[in-house]
Amino acid sequence: MGNCIQGCKDYFSRQKNTNIRLTLPVVCFVWQIAMIILFGVFIRYDEESDTHWVETKAHDNITSDIENDFYFRYPSFQDVHVMIFVGFGFLMTFLKRYSFGAVGFNFLVASFGLQWALLMQGWFHSLDPQTGKIFIGVESLINADFCVAGCLIAYGAVLGKVSPVQLLVMTLFGVTLFAVEEYIILNLLHARDAGGSMVIHTFGGYYGLTISWVLYRPNLNQSKRMQGSVYHSDIFAMIGTLFLWMFWPSFNSAITDHGDGQHRAAINTYLCLASTVLTTVAISSLSQKTGKLDMVHIQNSTLAGGVALGTAAEFMISPYGALIVGFFCGIISTMGYIFISPFLEKTLKIQDTCGIHNLHAMPGVIGGIVGAITAAAASESVYGKGDMGRIEGDVPEGEGLKLTLSPLFTGSILRLPIWGDPADENCFDDEVYWELPDEEEEHQESIPPILEYNNHMIHKQQDL
Amino acid sequence: MGNCIQGCKDYFSRQKNTNIRLTLPVVCFVWQIAMIILFGVFIRYDEESDTHWVETKAHDNITSDIENDFYFRYPSFQDVHVMIFVGFGFLMTFLKRYSFGAVGFNFLVASFGLQWALLMQGWFHSLDPQTGKIFIGVESLINADFCVAGCLIAYGAVLGKVSPVQLLVMTLFGVTLFAVEEYIILNLLHARDAGGSMVIHTFGGYYGLTISWVLYRPNLNQSKRMQGSVYHSDIFAMIGTLFLWMFWPSFNSAITDHGDGQHRAAINTYLCLASTVLTTVAISSLSQKTGKLDMVHIQNSTLAGGVALGTAAEFMISPYGALIVGFFCGIISTMGYIFISPFLEKTLKIQDTCGIHNLHAMPGVIGGIVGAITAAAASESVYGKGDMGRIEGDVPEGEGLKLTLSPLFTGSILRLPIWGDPADENCFDDEVYWELPDEEEEHQESIPPILEYNNHMIHKQQDL
Amino acid sequence: MGNCIQGCKDYFSRQKNTNIRLTLPVVCFVWQIAMIILFGVFIRYDEESDTHWVETKAHDNITSDIENDFYFRYPSFQDVHVMIFVGFGFLMTFLKRYSFGAVGFNFLVASFGLQWALLMQGWFHSLDPQTGKIFIGVESLINADFCVAGCLIAYGAVLGKVSPVQLLVMTLFGVTLFAVEEYIILNLLHARDAGGSMVIHTFGGYYGLTISWVLYRPNLNQSKRMQGSVYHSDIFAMIGTLFLWMFWPSFNSAITDHGDGQHRAAINTYLCLASTVLTTVAISSLSQKTGKLDMVHIQNSTLAGGVALGTAAEFMISPYGALIVGFFCGIISTMGYIFISPFLEKTLKIQDTCGIHNLHAMPGVIGGIVGAITAAAASESVYGKGDMGRIEGDVPEGEGLKLTLSPLFTGSILRLPIWGDPADENCFDDEVYWELPDEEEEHQESIPPILEYNNHMIHKQQDL
């Protein structure tokens, strides 16, 4: 009895305060009100979503409403939107008891992030100097979703180890940093990165990994029992995988040039991803004694091709070129899960819950290199006169220092003991931040009556 | 022993006859045959889906097939279609043992409803006076799906408490009523309501609530053990939530004007819904002692912004205006789940399984008010000359009496003892209308062998 | 004790070698490399996805990028893509312990199949005689997905009974055969079959059934305990059903003529499928004593209308004609599950796991007949002058022999003992080819502490 009380004391002394009843509502309310004010000051409809479009059409000699950019990009936008909310959200539901957190916090973070992204990207890329306003249309929505993708990738590294308030802070800094980094790469270095290999995936990957490194938990094995998947949670995760995989052609083609640009980007991504699946399966099967497949690989590495083709998707990489990129990405990403992830955790003290290093960071770097090679190989005969001017940027190399210091700073802020993050033994457990359904009743139903009788009998025997 | 027999007798006397082997097939067959006959008499392809489109094009000086309305609206139509079947269907799977009924009856009801809606809406809105025919195209399909949405909202109020035959009857009357109500609001009062705040959501909400009131079950707590969710069912429900949330911009823009109208409606809804998520999370967290989130709120209240922007989505409400609408809807809807739903059940005797009052009825009313304010504030300078004429309607206020008597009538019909509805203790249980998989074997597998041995041992001990 | 050892021996002697660590990686690597080489030699971007599109436009007097075929077909393509990967994949997750195999092998097979299909269809249909190249665009991707659909249908017949290597071999031969068959039907017989009633569904159905017949397992009841569904797996399967059902209008309209052709095909399929749902429910309810519904029927037969309208979807079948087709398909397909499937298994020795005979093969045949009747009834007054020339093909009758011998050959190859297929008692079990999550811990958690104590007590008693 005394032992039990001592155990309880130990338990509660180890407990962290995960009460977020003050911080979470305050952050949500204050930030949302700030968004409303800033939108009121800065954001307006662009000329294609404004009622004055009728005059714009007349002025530009456009004969049909179908030439509104909406019709070029809206189907792709909706696919990207599905990737952000269902794709990323469900991909992270693989943990046996963190599916609420995976899909729910993903939802919260993305909803805030896309508003903040519209502002940050607007200020950096499209602030009208005359009016001081940001004019938004469907392409702005796509870019906001892209920016959010970077933050959700970072979430993958710290999944289950942070509170929703920390995630919102991570997103606030992440979107800010993203806009700066994107400005450097696209506007100062004049690189093209329509599908965001570097801008989105490498950035999001290393941002998340750096934060995870700062937040290193040496005693994370105390929640080891919660770190695996169960059969059904793996199938939920496949919903995320497949929607990401299927709609990646839309992701890489959503903001490319009208006409052949979008067309080609979709074809290349489609082919590249098909190739990735085969090599992922091959390596996954090779890694086990009897050739069994590992769901972690199938859920994640099959997507690496889409990441790596982000930069080059719109280029004339040619169909077989796309297949080659996918071929190697499947191999490298799966190998990453087998060899690099354990190394990162043991040696570099980086705990990467979803293995974003293998799915986003590494393939993103490959994507930058592939883009650089393809751009360098581009000649006027391949691209024709009309398009040549567009592919002249270089892949950025430096600028790393400034950008890596920022996540360190963000990570340090997140270490403050005010965010309600879980104790080591409570990681990966929805119990901490969610009202969970009471499933006791069901469990009792599943116990056959005879066993309940047993209990009764044994108690009686004890009494005797 | 005698006690047990008495209990069994009581049990079976309370049992209602839920055999629907006669009624369900008869209703399905007869109504489907009626649809075929009525379609044969009335429904034809419109000029854009008929082979004579080639002549229409020539006549209207249309140079390209891409200007067929199909290409303006088909992507939005497919998104709406997903909302109807996966969105509404899976949103209702949250109950631990009514997921078959949720997704299956949703499927049945929507499939019948859309056929009947094409006829009813056709008769009221687009019956060609010369030929006596209804000409349908992609916009008709969207409108039919919209009409079905109203009936599925009503299903949410009575989920788990009615038989599929009752649902079909509810849908028959619901669609009829919907067409009348829509005619009054849109054609007589000249209001605009592209996303259906009033026409779809308020109507569907109060239609369902009235029926639920008529069908009040004082002893519903007898099936209390079935009324909750389990961990996995809550994740299934999130599939519904997210597809509704993501595709709501398509819902609100699907039948707005080509060009800037569709463009603006999508942007406004996108922003509004993002704002709703933050305030929903804030209030949900505030409502619990330790700030934990409640899945019911996340699954439902996050969608209230889309409902409330239905009327005003195409107006020049401006981006920050959309955020403000979302801001308040998240608060009001979540508060509704916390305070109003218990009040409705206890005081007004309205049992609202899915809380449609908080998700559809109330936000729909807000949407009507927002629409009225935005329309009133519209000036020629904002809308330009071209569009001014379109926004002159008023939000309807009266006409309530006629429309509320009809659901009372429908409810009374549903109280007849011929529809095979479940007894109070069998509500929310798929067992009643579905052949369920036999899961005993699996349960036995999950009992470790040693326990089975125990059973054996104890039996032996008893025998001694 | 000796008995137990003997049992274990028997068990292991019956065990087949399911080690695929050599074959699966080799097949994946070699075939993927072959794809890369063949793509390098043959596949190029077509004129609408090439950078030279700017010149093509000028040459063809196209004024806007929106007339690129991409914008006519990409939304439909993405819907078809979802059907292939989520639709077919999740439809097959209904088995209690084969969901990994269903969705995972579907993913693998489709990813290989679409590459091989681009080549095979290219060689047969669009090899440019001058350059010896195949030029691909978005329509090629749709056709590749269609071809893959045929192979995935065949997978449904052998689900749970074959190894992933066998599936890849099946797909290699299936795609090859598909291209030949499609060439005969479309190019030699000049039939039109845009939605693939005959080309895709009947072909895929009988291809799979023939192979299943060759691979007949007389002792399959040894894995009977794995052949059913559990509650959650049936809901996962409904995800597949609904995405197939909702996007079928896109499937049947994806490659029809621009303008009214696509428009009409979508409307017809939408109506036809709605009608199918009602008659499926009616027959399913009739088939049970108390009118309960059977999930197998709802998951499968509701889709039969889409299959059967494949050929005629673009024709002027008229809205009520579409409803009639759906009406009968729901009846026939559900009856197939009730009466024909048991007959096929007992008498013809065809074990059809998913009942593809009722969902694809039979409705496909109906579709061919409906198409023939509709085409025959077509007159110039209905179709106008412009379109008349297009509907002149006949439904093929012969050619069956050559096409049925090929699956026999494929089946024979698959009987070789080198493919790592499972033993009879291991069929329908993911254990064989997948690393499954260790769920013991969870099970132990679900055992109330008192029971664990019981175990302890009883052991003690035994010792006494």
Side-chain angles (χ1 to χ4, degrees):
Chain A
M1 191 69 175
N3 200 14
C4 171
I5 290 171
Q6 188 56 42
C8 289
K9 267 191 193 167
D10 285 359
Y11 181 73
F12 283 107
S13 66
R14 279 202 313 266
Q15 279 285 58
K16 281 194 173 188
N17 178 12
T18 57
N19 189 329
I20 48 170
R21 198 184 180 186
L22 182 67
T23 44
L24 184 59
V26 165
V27 167
C28 285
F29 274 129
V30 172
W31 291 11
Q32 186 57 55
I33 290 168
M35 288 301 114
I36 290 174
I37 295 169
L38 290 168
F39 268 62
V41 176
F42 287 103
I43 306 264
R44 297 291 177 272
Y45 303 119
D46 72 4
E47 55 181 16
E48 302 197 73
S49 56
D50 190 280
T51 41
H52 292 281
W53 158 247
V54 63
E55 293 145 35
T56 311
K57 266 197 305 183
H59 180 265
D60 295 355
N61 277 325
I62 293 171
T63 54
S64 167
D65 278 323
I66 196 84
E67 296 194 48
N68 191 305
D69 198 37
F70 181 77
Y71 302 102
F72 285 94
R73 306 209 184 275
Y74 189 69
S76 308
F77 159 68
Q78 274 295 5
D79 293 349
V80 171
H81 216 40
V82 172
M83 292 173 74
I84 299 297
F85 289 88
V86 161
F88 282 104
F90 272 85
L91 183 60
M92 297 192 288
T93 57
F94 69 100
L95 289 170
K96 65 177 78 163
R97 275 280 149 170
Y98 208 72
S99 303
F100 284 17
V103 80
F105 296 155
N106 183 81
F107 195 14
L108 170 64
V109 159
S111 296
F112 165 69
L114 62 88
Q115 299 177 56
W116 182 226
L118 281 171
L119 284 164
M120 284 302 304
Q121 292 184 321
W123 286 324
F124 271 97
H125 296 282
S126 57
L127 194 70
D128 184 66
Q130 281 192 305
T131 58
K133 304 293 181 198
I134 299 159
F135 295 97
I136 61 167
V138 65
E139 193 171 340
S140 321
L141 307 191
I142 298 170
N143 275 311
D145 272 17
F146 278 2
C147 179
V148 163
C151 297
L152 298 178
I153 289 165
Y155 179 25
V158 296
L159 180 73
K161 298 176 292 183
V162 292
S163 77
V165 188
Q166 283 177 308
L167 283 175
L168 283 168
V169 174
M170 257 180 76
T171 306
L172 181 78
F173 286 106
V175 168
T176 311
L177 206 60
F178 180 93
V180 177
E181 168 242 18
E182 193 188 30
Y183 182 73
I184 293 168
I185 293 181
L186 304 189
N187 295 43
L188 300 186
L189 294 169
H190 298 291
R192 274 181 78 81
D193 193 10
S197 289
M198 302 166 287
V199 173
I200 299 168
H201 296 284
T202 306
F203 164 76
Y206 287 113
Y207 180 65
L209 292 170
T210 311
I211 289 175
S212 188
W213 179 73
V214 177
L215 299 179
Y216 180 68
R217 288 167 178 268
N219 301 315
L220 194 59
N221 61 353
Q222 288 180 0
S223 56
K224 204 183 170 188
R225 79 208 134 77
M226 306 303 274
Q227 282 190 53
S229 62
V230 289
Y231 194 73
H232 284 308
S233 70
D234 269 326
I235 306 169
F236 277 120
M238 280 304 291
I239 296 175
T241 300
L242 287 175
F243 275 103
L244 286 170
W245 193 92
M246 296 180 303
F247 287 165
W248 217 295
S250 297
F251 194 93
N252 284 350
S253 69
I255 58 164
T256 53
D257 292 329
H258 290 175
D260 63 288
Q262 289 195 279
H263 202 153
R264 190 166 53 251
I267 294 172
N268 286 336
T269 312
Y270 170 91
L271 291 173
C272 179
L273 281 165
S275 175
T276 310
V277 174
L278 271 89
T279 52
T280 298
V281 166
I283 300 292
S284 182
S285 179
L286 268 179
S287 73
Q288 297 284 345
K289 261 190 195 167
T290 57
K292 290 185 185 187
L293 299 173
D294 189 329
M295 256 295 167
V296 172
H297 307 153
I298 307 300
Q299 282 160 7
N300 293 283
S301 297
T302 49
L303 300 167
V307 172
L309 211 68
T311 306
E314 62 176 327
F315 297 169
M316 290 291 283
I317 191 170
S318 85
Y320 77 93
L323 290 183
I324 292 172
V325 172
F327 186 90
F328 287 107
C329 282
I331 297 173
I332 293 167
S333 176
T334 315
M335 295 256 202
Y337 278 95
I338 300 169
F339 300 113
I340 302 179
S341 283
F343 170 80
L344 284 182
E345 178 150 3
K346 276 186 204 152
T347 314
L348 300 186
K349 310 289 181 204
I350 298 173
Q351 290 155 332
D352 179 4
T353 314
C354 296
I356 61 163
H357 183 262
N358 315 305
L359 171 46
H360 297 283
M362 264 197 316
V365 171
I366 296 171
I369 297 166
V370 168
I373 295 170
T374 319
S379 70
E380 207 165 297
S381 72
V382 177
Y383 284 93
K385 280 182 189 170
D387 268 71
M388 192 54 204
R390 300 206 186 103
I391 300 142
E392 53 190 8
D394 286 301
V395 181
E397 287 167 19
E399 296 291 334
L401 188 67
K402 220 187 303 173
L403 291 169
T404 43
L405 285 180
S406 301
L408 289 175
F409 171 71
T410 311
S412 309
I413 287 178
L414 294 178
R415 294 198 67 174
L416 297 175
I418 57 171
W419 307 118
D421 53 315
D424 290 340
E425 71 268 29
N426 293 331
C427 283
F428 314 114
D429 193 349
D430 272 333
E431 184 63 42
V432 182
Y433 303 115
W434 295 88
E435 287 290 310
L436 292 186
D438 184 21
E439 300 190 29
E440 269 181 66
E441 217 165 344
E442 213 197 28
H443 278 286
Q444 278 190 354
E445 283 185 343
S446 75
I447 302 161
I450 184 68
L451 289 183
E452 296 201 73
Y453 180 78
N454 288 2
N455 298 350
H456 181 68
M457 281 302 290
I458 287 170
H459 279 269
K460 264 175 109 172
Q461 286 176 356
Q462 280 181 275
D463 295 341
L464 288 175
Chain B
M1 193 68 175
N3 201 13
C4 169
I5 289 171
Q6 187 57 40
C8 291
K9 266 191 193 169
D10 284 358
Y11 181 75
F12 283 108
S13 66
R14 279 203 312 267
Q15 280 283 55
K16 281 193 172 190
N17 178 12
T18 57
N19 189 329
I20 48 170
R21 197 185 180 185
L22 182 67
T23 45
L24 185 59
V26 165
V27 167
C28 285
F29 274 129
V30 173
W31 293 11
Q32 186 58 55
I33 290 168
M35 290 300 114
I36 291 172
I37 295 168
L38 290 168
F39 268 62
V41 177
F42 289 104
I43 306 265
R44 297 291 178 272
Y45 303 119
D46 71 5
E47 55 182 17
E48 304 198 71
S49 57
D50 190 279
T51 41
H52 292 281
W53 158 248
V54 63
E55 292 143 35
T56 311
K57 266 197 305 184
H59 181 265
D60 294 355
N61 277 324
I62 293 171
T63 53
S64 167
D65 278 324
I66 196 84
E67 296 195 47
N68 192 304
D69 197 38
F70 181 78
Y71 302 102
F72 285 94
R73 306 208 183 275
Y74 189 69
S76 308
F77 159 68
Q78 275 295 5
D79 293 349
V80 171
H81 217 41
V82 172
M83 293 174 74
I84 300 298
F85 289 89
V86 161
F88 282 104
F90 272 85
L91 183 61
M92 297 192 287
T93 57
F94 69 100
L95 290 170
K96 64 177 78 164
R97 275 280 150 171
Y98 208 71
S99 304
F100 285 17
V103 80
F105 296 155
N106 183 83
F107 194 15
L108 171 64
V109 159
S111 296
F112 166 69
L114 62 87
Q115 298 177 56
W116 182 226
L118 281 171
L119 284 164
M120 284 301 305
Q121 292 184 320
W123 286 324
F124 272 97
H125 297 282
S126 58
L127 193 70
D128 184 67
Q130 281 191 307
T131 58
K133 304 293 180 199
I134 299 160
F135 295 97
I136 63 167
V138 66
E139 193 171 340
S140 322
L141 307 191
I142 298 170
N143 275 312
D145 272 17
F146 278 2
C147 180
V148 163
C151 298
L152 297 178
I153 290 165
Y155 179 23
V158 297
L159 180 73
K161 300 175 293 183
V162 293
S163 78
V165 188
Q166 283 177 308
L167 284 174
L168 284 167
V169 174
M170 255 179 77
T171 307
L172 180 78
F173 286 106
V175 168
T176 312
L177 207 59
F178 181 93
V180 177
E181 168 242 20
E182 193 188 30
Y183 182 73
I184 294 169
I185 293 180
L186 304 189
N187 295 41
L188 300 187
L189 295 169
H190 299 290
R192 275 180 77 81
D193 193 10
S197 290
M198 301 166 289
V199 173
I200 299 167
H201 296 283
T202 306
F203 164 77
Y206 287 113
Y207 180 65
L209 292 169
T210 311
I211 289 174
S212 189
W213 179 73
V214 178
L215 299 179
Y216 180 68
R217 289 169 178 266
N219 302 314
L220 193 60
N221 61 354
Q222 288 180 0
S223 56
K224 204 183 169 185
R225 82 209 132 75
M226 306 303 274
Q227 282 192 52
S229 61
V230 289
Y231 194 73
H232 284 308
S233 70
D234 269 326
I235 306 168
F236 277 120
M238 280 304 290
I239 297 175
T241 299
L242 288 175
F243 275 102
L244 285 170
W245 193 92
M246 297 180 303
F247 288 165
W248 217 294
S250 297
F251 194 92
N252 283 349
S253 71
I255 58 165
T256 53
D257 292 330
H258 290 175
D260 63 289
Q262 288 194 282
H263 202 153
R264 190 166 54 250
I267 294 173
N268 286 336
T269 312
Y270 169 90
L271 291 173
C272 180
L273 281 165
S275 175
T276 310
V277 174
L278 271 89
T279 51
T280 299
V281 167
I283 300 292
S284 181
S285 179
L286 268 179
S287 73
Q288 296 284 347
K289 261 190 196 167
T290 56
K292 289 185 184 186
L293 298 173
D294 189 327
M295 257 295 168
V296 171
H297 307 153
I298 307 301
Q299 281 159 6
N300 293 283
S301 297
T302 50
L303 301 166
V307 172
L309 211 67
T311 306
E314 62 176 328
F315 297 170
M316 289 292 282
I317 191 169
S318 85
Y320 77 93
L323 290 183
I324 292 172
V325 173
F327 186 89
F328 287 107
C329 282
I331 297 173
I332 292 167
S333 176
T334 315
M335 293 253 200
Y337 278 96
I338 300 169
F339 299 113
I340 302 178
S341 283
F343 170 80
L344 284 182
E345 178 148 5
K346 275 184 204 153
T347 314
L348 300 185
K349 309 290 181 203
I350 298 174
Q351 291 155 332
D352 179 4
T353 313
C354 296
I356 60 164
H357 184 262
N358 316 304
L359 171 48
H360 297 282
M362 265 197 317
V365 171
I366 296 171
I369 296 167
V370 169
I373 294 171
T374 320
S379 70
E380 207 165 295
S381 72
V382 177
Y383 285 93
K385 280 181 189 169
D387 268 72
M388 191 55 204
R390 296 203 189 107
I391 300 141
E392 53 189 8
D394 286 300
V395 182
E397 287 167 19
E399 295 293 336
L401 188 68
K402 222 188 300 175
L403 290 169
T404 43
L405 286 181
S406 302
L408 289 176
F409 171 71
T410 312
S412 309
I413 287 178
L414 294 178
R415 295 198 67 173
L416 297 174
I418 57 172
W419 306 118
D421 52 316
D424 290 339
E425 72 270 27
N426 293 331
C427 283
F428 314 115
D429 192 350
D430 273 333
E431 184 63 42
V432 181
Y433 303 116
W434 295 87
E435 288 290 310
L436 293 186
D438 184 21
E439 301 189 29
E440 267 181 69
E441 217 165 345
E442 213 196 28
H443 279 286
Q444 277 189 356
E445 282 186 342
S446 75
I447 302 162
I450 184 67
L451 289 183
E452 296 201 75
Y453 180 76
N454 288 1
N455 299 350
H456 182 67
M457 282 302 290
I458 287 170
H459 279 269
K460 265 176 111 171
Q461 287 175 357
Q462 279 180 278
D463 293 344
L464 290 175
Chain C
M1 192 68 175
N3 200 15
C4 170
I5 290 170
Q6 187 56 43
C8 290
K9 267 192 192 167
D10 284 358
Y11 180 75
F12 283 107
S13 65
R14 279 203 312 266
Q15 280 283 59
K16 281 195 172 187
N17 179 12
T18 57
N19 189 330
I20 49 171
R21 197 184 179 186
L22 183 67
T23 43
L24 184 59
V26 165
V27 168
C28 285
F29 274 129
V30 172
W31 292 11
Q32 186 57 55
I33 290 167
M35 289 301 113
I36 291 173
I37 296 169
L38 290 169
F39 268 62
V41 176
F42 288 104
I43 306 264
R44 297 291 178 271
Y45 303 119
D46 72 4
E47 54 181 17
E48 304 199 73
S49 56
D50 190 279
T51 42
H52 292 280
W53 158 247
V54 63
E55 293 145 35
T56 312
K57 265 197 305 184
H59 181 264
D60 295 356
N61 276 325
I62 293 170
T63 53
S64 167
D65 278 323
I66 197 83
E67 295 195 48
N68 192 304
D69 198 37
F70 181 76
Y71 302 102
F72 286 93
R73 306 208 184 274
Y74 188 69
S76 308
F77 158 68
Q78 274 295 5
D79 293 349
V80 171
H81 216 40
V82 171
M83 292 173 74
I84 299 299
F85 289 89
V86 161
F88 282 104
F90 273 85
L91 184 60
M92 297 192 289
T93 57
F94 70 99
L95 289 170
K96 63 177 79 166
R97 275 280 149 171
Y98 207 71
S99 304
F100 285 17
V103 80
F105 297 154
N106 183 82
F107 195 14
L108 170 64
V109 158
S111 295
F112 166 69
L114 62 87
Q115 299 177 55
W116 183 225
L118 280 171
L119 284 165
M120 283 303 304
Q121 292 183 321
W123 286 323
F124 272 98
H125 296 283
S126 57
L127 194 70
D128 185 67
Q130 282 191 305
T131 58
K133 305 292 181 199
I134 299 160
F135 296 97
I136 62 167
V138 65
E139 194 171 339
S140 321
L141 308 191
I142 297 169
N143 275 312
D145 272 17
F146 278 1
C147 179
V148 163
C151 297
L152 297 178
I153 291 164
Y155 178 25
V158 297
L159 180 73
K161 299 176 293 184
V162 291
S163 77
V165 187
Q166 282 177 307
L167 283 175
L168 284 167
V169 174
M170 255 179 78
T171 307
L172 180 78
F173 286 106
V175 168
T176 312
L177 206 59
F178 180 93
V180 177
E181 168 242 19
E182 193 189 31
Y183 182 73
I184 294 168
I185 293 181
L186 304 189
N187 295 41
L188 299 188
L189 295 168
H190 299 290
R192 275 181 78 80
D193 193 9
S197 290
M198 301 166 289
V199 173
I200 299 168
H201 296 283
T202 306
F203 164 76
Y206 287 112
Y207 181 64
L209 292 169
T210 312
I211 288 175
S212 188
W213 179 73
V214 177
L215 299 178
Y216 180 68
R217 288 168 178 267
N219 301 315
L220 193 59
N221 61 354
Q222 287 180 359
S223 56
K224 204 184 169 187
R225 82 210 132 76
M226 305 302 274
Q227 282 192 51
S229 62
V230 288
Y231 194 74
H232 284 308
S233 69
D234 268 326
I235 306 170
F236 277 119
M238 279 305 289
I239 296 174
T241 300
L242 287 176
F243 274 102
L244 286 169
W245 194 91
M246 296 180 304
F247 288 165
W248 217 293
S250 297
F251 193 93
N252 284 350
S253 71
I255 57 166
T256 53
D257 292 329
H258 289 175
D260 63 289
Q262 287 194 281
H263 202 153
R264 191 167 52 251
I267 294 172
N268 286 336
T269 312
Y270 169 91
L271 292 173
C272 179
L273 281 165
S275 176
T276 311
V277 174
L278 271 89
T279 51
T280 298
V281 167
I283 301 292
S284 182
S285 178
L286 268 178
S287 73
Q288 296 284 345
K289 260 189 196 168
T290 57
K292 289 186 185 187
L293 299 173
D294 190 328
M295 258 293 168
V296 171
H297 306 154
I298 307 300
Q299 282 160 5
N300 293 282
S301 297
T302 50
L303 301 166
V307 172
L309 211 67
T311 306
E314 62 176 327
F315 297 169
M316 290 290 283
I317 192 171
S318 83
Y320 77 93
L323 289 183
I324 292 172
V325 173
F327 187 91
F328 287 107
C329 282
I331 297 173
I332 293 166
S333 176
T334 315
M335 294 254 203
Y337 278 95
I338 301 168
F339 300 112
I340 301 178
S341 284
F343 170 80
L344 284 182
E345 177 148 5
K346 275 184 204 153
T347 314
L348 299 186
K349 310 289 180 204
I350 298 174
Q351 292 155 332
D352 179 4
T353 313
C354 295
I356 62 164
H357 184 261
N358 315 305
L359 170 48
H360 297 282
M362 264 198 315
V365 171
I366 295 172
I369 297 166
V370 169
I373 294 170
T374 319
S379 70
E380 206 164 297
S381 72
V382 177
Y383 284 92
K385 280 182 187 168
D387 268 73
M388 191 55 204
R390 299 205 187 106
I391 301 141
E392 53 190 9
D394 286 300
V395 181
E397 286 167 21
E399 296 291 337
L401 188 68
K402 220 187 302 173
L403 290 169
T404 45
L405 286 180
S406 301
L408 289 176
F409 171 70
T410 312
S412 309
I413 287 178
L414 294 178
R415 294 198 66 173
L416 296 175
I418 56 171
W419 306 117
D421 54 317
D424 289 340
E425 71 270 29
N426 293 331
C427 284
F428 315 114
D429 193 349
D430 273 332
E431 185 62 43
V432 182
Y433 302 115
W434 295 87
E435 287 291 310
L436 292 186
D438 185 20
E439 300 190 28
E440 268 182 68
E441 217 165 346
E442 212 197 27
H443 278 287
Q444 277 188 355
E445 282 185 343
S446 77
I447 302 162
I450 185 67
L451 288 183
E452 295 201 72
Y453 180 78
N454 288 1
N455 299 350
H456 181 69
M457 281 302 291
I458 286 171
H459 278 268
K460 264 177 110 171
Q461 287 174 357
Q462 280 181 275
D463 293 344
L464 287 177

